Amino acid sequence: MKEIYIKLPRELEYLKIACNLASQVAITIDKNEHFSNEIELAVSEAFTNAIKHADYTKEDDTLTLSFKIFNNKLVISLRDKGKGFNLDSISEPNFDKIPESGYGLYIIKKIMNKLSYVIDEDGYNVLVMEKSIPNQN
Amino acid sequence: MILDIEKHTFGDVTLIKTKKRLDAEVSDIYKQKIKKLIDQGKLNIVLDMSETEFIDSSGLACMVSRILEIRSKGGDLRLSLAGAEVKNILELTNLNMIFKSYPNNEDAINSFINNAL
């Protein structure tokens, strides 16, 4: 397993860094542009949500983004010390009403194979996204 | 953040060229731009997405934010030159059923003229 991680300030101006890293990590796994675009999109959604929706304390105002590359999957985690949320309570957007927001988690769920939200041993919230790695043959 | 947004007028159609990235960092700027056009009564809007390589849900929000208002006032927001990644996210969110998309700017601009005839 290979791991790459970065700790960034919880500010939108660092979104591009998170996305660039996601894209580059994906390219090291598979040069297929569609794969790297999907990974970048998932990270962009997660990072943006973490900035916009979390209720942060002054204790730790950073986001830690990590990528774990296994033989058959990529596991992306986004860790923060915010208030947290209930992943199961987030409903799908009501497409009939063309909502302005609420698509972020929906997009992540469509792109990634698995999505979970846990609290780690240090009390940090961790959004964990898994994506199967395309066949390398 | 300062963002120079390219805008052109063709009759009563306004064409806005979107940048390489449409994400949370720039979304509010585009939303404000579109709102300003609506306030000025410019309700026929085309987004030229030829340079947009990346768009996420925040980028979509700048399209969606005023679409109902624009349409209720008799206008529309349409897309031109949307690349693969833009089309992909529109399909993912079912917004491809909401926004009319054209292969070039001329067709998009003319679609408003044809509607008016």
Side-chain angles (χ1 to χ4, degrees), chain B residues 3-19 29-51 77 105 109:
Chain B
L3 189 73
D4 182 28
I5 297 179
E6 194 178 326
K7 179 171 77 86
H8 301 280
T9 304
F10 301 89
D12 61 354
V13 180
T14 306
L15 183 117
I16 296 174
K17 197 159 188 170
T18 56
K19 297 285 190 186
I29 299 170
Y30 281 97
K31 279 189 202 176
Q32 283 162 24
K33 189 80 180 174
I34 291 170
K35 184 180 181 315
K36 195 174 175 185
L37 288 173
I38 297 170
D39 291 343
Q40 291 170 344
K42 296 173 183 175
L43 302 172
N44 297 336
I45 301 170
V46 173
L47 294 184
D48 173 347
M49 308 195 81
S50 55
E51 290 184 6
L77 187 148
N105 287 335
I109 292 164

Side-chain angles (χ1 to χ4, degrees), chain B residues 72-106:
Chain B
S72 73
K73 292 180 176 177
D76 202 7
L77 187 148
R78 296 174 185 171
L79 314 178
S80 68
L81 296 158
E85 291 313 315
V86 174
K87 287 180 183 172
N88 196 38
I89 197 172
L90 288 172
E91 285 171 15
L92 211 58
T93 54
N94 293 345
L95 289 172
N96 58 323
M97 311 295 285
I98 303 300
F99 291 100
K100 289 180 185 170
S101 189
Y102 297 86
N104 55 66
N105 287 335
E106 190 179 352

Side-chain angles (χ1 to χ4, degrees), chain A residues 4-6 16-26 39 65 67:
Chain A
I4 302 126
Y5 64 91
I6 189 169
K16 220 178 291 183
I17 294 176
C19 287
N20 283 343
L21 179 60
S23 179
Q24 291 303 312
V25 168
I39 298 303
L65 176 64
F67 302 85

